[in-house]
Amino acid sequence: MPDSKMDETKKKKKKTAECCGYPISIFFIVVNEFCERFSYYGMRAVLVLYFRYFLLWDDDLATSIYHAFVALCYLTPILGAIIADSWLGKFKTIIYLSIVYAVGQVVMAVSTIHDITDANRDGTPDNFTLHIALSMLGLVLIALGTGGIKPCVAAFGGDQFQEHQSRQLNTFFSVFYLCINAGSLLSTLITPVLRAQECGIHTQQQCYPLAFGVPAALMVVSLVVFIAGSGMYTKTAPEGNIMGSVCKCIWFALNNRFRHRSDIYPKREHWMDWAEEKYDKLLIAQIKMVLKVLFLYIPLPMFWTLFDQKGSRWTLQATTMTGDFGGFVLQPDQMQTVNPILILTLVPIMDRIIFPLIKKCGLNFSPLKRMTVGMLFAATAFIAAALVQMEIDKTLPNFPSSSESQLKVVNMHSESLIVTVPSQEPLLIGSFEVQHTSKHTTAVSHWCFTISSHVVFPQSSPDYITFDQQDIRLAFNTTPEINKDLSLIKGSRQTLIIPSEPAEMYLKEDIKSKPKEGKNAVRFVNGWTAYLNITNLESSLQPSETSNYTLVSQGMRKFTLTDGIQSCEFSRKFGFGSSYTFLIPSDLFSTDCESIKEIEDMQPNSVHMALQIPQYFLITTGEVMFSVTGLQFSYSQAPKNMKSVLQAGWLCTNAVGNIIVLIVAELGKLPKQWAEYVLFASLLVAVSIIFSIMAYFYTYIDPAEIEAEILKQQETDPDKKKKKETLEMEEKENEQEIKQTKI
Ligand SMILES: NCC(=O)N[C@@H](CCC(N)=O)C(=O)O
């Protein structure tokens, strides 16, 4: 559409399409953003689980691909911004890239249908390569779509406002942020529930197609809503290959500066002024504005480095805590929903109460000051996380160091045993059977039928004896005496199982870190005289055999034990992050499973997840001050033809932050998690000090005003054309000179 015609349309729309001072078109844009963020966060919520349990990737691969995908989503905005500002304009870019995005979501959903390659109908796909290829294609399209439209939607929203609506424009960015978080909150709650359903054509499996299909549908809705508002938008036309001109202009300025490096040439105020001979003053001024803001962005990725650890380190921290809130139980990964919930409450509180109050007190809380304070809030959030970590560390078992091994002895033999352990007092181990039949009259003061080392040894881990040598010899007081040479694994915990026939004693490796996702690790030692089948275990247990650990979730869990003839049920309530070895006695069925005894290998988590709320509160307050303000700032300080580019620059700070997380995770961690949190907090404080100094020297501008002034000047500047001609002549002369010198 020609510019004049477009301006006419704008004027007409301005008058008719307003509600309470806001352009009505904004409604379509915020609803579109809500649906798009639902789609994005919903898909993200189940992505790692899909990698882990559908594609059967290991943890490391699953998390690396996940973070790489997130980083890609924040790098593609550059592409979207270039397309929008230089070629298609924001409106068309949003439409085309939303189509790419929706196709990506559909491809992703299709890739999760196990039935498409499950020819033998065993419930697992037969052709993993096809599923991987489809999902990777889907993810690339999604990253292109979500990243590509992201800088355009915010900037397009801003474009709907007129000069007299600057107050509404600021509110728009807050409402926009609210919609992002409302979408993310709902989808993060809903999609995991959809995944937990069972569905399928031939076999019933976890319903990934539904969990990915609903976000795909929401993306289609998002596109439809956006198109529905088409007639009401203010659409600014792209101004040609602006990025090309920007690059050429910068290159010329640098080149020209270099050519005139001698002291005989008078200095210019700014190095970009060296482009004046050839380029428009307006373009030079616009580039200066953008560069000034981009320079200011350099320290910002550090904020996102801390912020994005909510989804990784903080969730891992939650897995070592308990989420039992009495009426309901919160899973560790659900703790992340605290962030959008707090956003929904904090944004209005800040906008309506805190910021106006600060203004009333006469304080100038400028955008850059807000962002600095936001960074400091994020740093304090990490100090809070470190304090919580210290509390958790107090409750964690004393795991062996890499030069130590730990040993526990379980006596399933019918009599008590005295074991002589190197450099320790002889140790009396009560018999499981003796204990169980109440004939137990040994000196063991603890009721536990296993080793009572805590009575005898001053070790910090009650049931384990810690050794700093690998090879040990244990002597048992049986007749004849049994001597057992053991080769312990360094850095590991092991249990020596003494079965009913002590000579057949064997070592079994124990769990040596907290079970994943706050689950509980359980295993069984079969003291029954025949093989046993136990629900949840991979295979049946032979007599005297010890099963591998199996993970069970929090809550009441029931195990059915059967030898094919008789069976009984054993129930137990589990908390979070515990580990138990259950000893099955020889009178299992006559006592209806009640004689099963337990050894606590690892105590359940005891620090409550509610303790994470302060750190979530602090980081979210930081986010409101930093992120919402940054979004506004990036729009307000950008020249009109580079609004999307600057939004993309802003989003890029997030991509770099994610890449730093990836690098830090790869480089390894400090030995103590709390120390790593303190390190990150200190780094962010240092960075925020640097940022505040940079911000001090930044002068806020009104790009529209500057642009208007330059245009006015240019109209009255007869030299402009002459300058260009002179420059072209100079260049030609230079080239000729070079040629002659060569000859
Ligand atoms: N609470 C997370 C959130 O709102 N994220 C936003 C902003 C991300 C950013 N770098 O600006 C989102 O759009 O997802």
Side-chain angles (χ1 to χ4, degrees), residues 33 37 40-41 74 150 177 180-181 304 307 310 339-340 343 623 627 631 650-651 654:
E33 183 67 9
R37 288 288 96 182
Y40 173 72
Y41 281 106
Y74 283 105
K150 193 129 185 63
Y177 216 80
I180 290 175
N181 285 277
W304 297 113
F307 183 81
K310 276 190 300 77
N339 171 257
I343 287 277
E623 183 190 353
S627 188
L631 199 67
W650 165 251
L651 292 166
N654 201 327

Side-chain angles (χ1 to χ4, degrees), residues 9 13 17 25 91 226-235:
T9 339
K13 300 266 161 61
S25 52
F91 177 72
F226 186 72
I227 294 173
S230 177
M232 298 185 192
Y233 298 134
T234 298
K235 299 169 194 161

Side-chain angles (χ1 to χ4, degrees), residues 570-589:
F570 164 64
S571 305
R572 194 194 189 284
K573 196 171 178 199
F574 292 93
F576 289 86
S578 66
S579 171
Y580 294 94
T581 301
F582 293 112
L583 305 181
I584 301 166
S586 55
D587 58 354
L588 172 73
F589 295 114

